[in-house]
Amino acid sequence: MWIVGLHKRPQISTSQLLAILPLACVHTMGNLFTNMSLGKVAVSFTHTIKAMEPFFSVLLSALFLGEYPTLPIIASLVPIVGGVALASLTEASFNWAGFLSAMASNITFQSRNVLSKKLMLKKGNSMDNINLFSVITIMSFVLLAPVTLFLEGVKFTPTYLQSAGLDVKVLAIRALLAALCFHSYQQVSYMILQRVSPVTHSVGNCVKRVVVIVTSVLFFRTPVSLINGVGTGVALAGVFAYSRAKQVKKKPEKSE
């Protein structure tokens, strides 16, 4: 987008790069931990653990942004997390490595969201959400690429992939499509983060996990149990309760 002029290239100072570096580090670790978890346990179990995001978001928002939730808001998070856990309970396969990796990704991703929100709120910060995420992504690539090449560089050669029985062309096309979809998802996520609080953002992520579970059921034609249906309903009810709790919290602020 910068090269073809679709989006204005930012003028970045050294102080801005230093401020963004911690965001790039936690962004890198968050993606790394998520993929580690997906490699160790079932997708449904990883999403069950990552449904704990709102709790970490509430805690980190209070610590770094001074945003303290009311008791109804905290209470509304319980059915969201519990509902998503129920929705994927039938597929859950416990593994300590996968569990700890997913939990670590919760902490790192929510740290990134809260720190990004803090940076966006700073006066004099001329970088919009698209440029901020783009810079974070580039810095993340620079941080992880040497490690990746050192540990698994030989596995990216066409000869190695073919010897493993993989079609290089098909793999390349699917990897490109996956990369475009994932980057687009993360970009939209950052655009939303600029407009809402980190807690609201993490609640949206919880609903996304329900969609992921339901979509996988439809795509792979997995039999749906009663627990899956009840969990989805409870999670959506929790989201409605959260939105009502947020509205109640804003009314006194407006009256002032």
Side-chain angles (χ1 to χ4, degrees):
M1 290 190 294
W2 291 342
I3 293 172
V4 299
L6 290 176
H7 196 78
K8 186 178 179 181
R9 187 175 60 183
Q11 298 296 324
I12 308 173
S13 64
T14 304
S15 60
Q16 284 180 310
L17 287 176
L18 291 175
I20 297 172
L21 181 59
L23 302 181
C25 290
V26 292
H27 176 77
T28 303
M29 290 189 294
N31 282 293
L32 185 61
F33 283 132
T34 298
N35 281 283
M36 286 171 62
S37 180
L38 290 171
K40 295 291 183 180
V41 297
V43 174
S44 59
F45 187 59
T46 297
H47 281 277
T48 300
I49 304 164
K50 287 178 71 63
M52 296 295 294
E53 279 184 354
F55 286 102
F56 290 105
S57 183
V58 167
L59 176 63
L60 294 171
S61 293
L63 290 174
F64 294 104
L65 299 179
E67 295 181 1
Y68 298 99
T70 61
L71 186 60
I73 288 177
I74 296 175
S76 69
L77 298 177
V78 176
I80 296 173
V81 176
V84 176
L86 279 175
S88 56
L89 185 64
T90 54
E91 297 182 66
S93 55
F94 187 83
N95 177 287
W96 275 111
F99 175 83
L100 294 175
S101 297
M103 195 62 72
S105 75
N106 280 339
I107 298 172
T108 51
F109 272 136
Q110 290 312 302
S111 298
R112 181 202 66 181
N113 289 348
V114 171
L115 293 173
S116 296
K117 189 72 175 181
K118 191 174 182 179
L119 184 65
M120 290 175 187
L121 294 174
K122 275 187 178 180
K123 291 182 178 179
N125 178 40
S126 58
M127 200 175 301
D128 60 24
N129 58 76
I130 293 178
N131 284 332
L132 176 60
F133 178 69
S134 299
V135 173
I136 288 174
T137 303
I138 293 169
M139 293 178 74
S140 179
F141 169 76
V142 173
L143 289 170
L144 192 58
V147 180
T148 304
L149 292 173
F150 178 76
L151 294 176
E152 295 185 305
V154 67
K155 295 184 180 180
F156 286 99
T157 60
T159 304
Y160 182 91
L161 294 173
Q162 288 174 350
S163 65
L166 297 172
D167 188 320
V168 178
K169 184 179 179 180
V170 172
L171 182 64
I173 292 173
R174 290 181 178 177
L176 178 61
L177 290 174
L180 289 172
C181 289
F182 185 69
H183 182 83
S184 299
Y185 150 68
Q186 292 270 31
Q187 186 67 74
V188 171
S189 178
Y190 250 71
M191 292 171 68
I192 295 172
L193 181 62
Q194 193 177 37
R195 291 165 173 79
V196 301
S197 73
V199 178
T200 304
H201 186 268
S202 62
V203 169
N205 271 335
C206 263
V207 178
K208 176 200 71 179
R209 303 200 192 292
V210 175
V211 174
V212 169
I213 293 168
V214 172
T215 304
S216 65
V217 168
L218 295 174
F219 185 81
F220 296 109
R221 298 180 181 179
T222 307
V224 180
S225 67
L226 179 63
I227 295 177
N228 285 111
V230 171
T232 302
V234 170
L236 294 176
V239 173
F240 176 76
Y242 172 80
S243 64
R244 294 295 298 171
K246 289 286 287 185
Q247 288 176 358
V248 171
K249 183 182 178 182
K250 287 180 179 178
K251 283 181 181 178
E253 295 175 357
K254 290 181 179 179
S255 63
E256 292 174 2

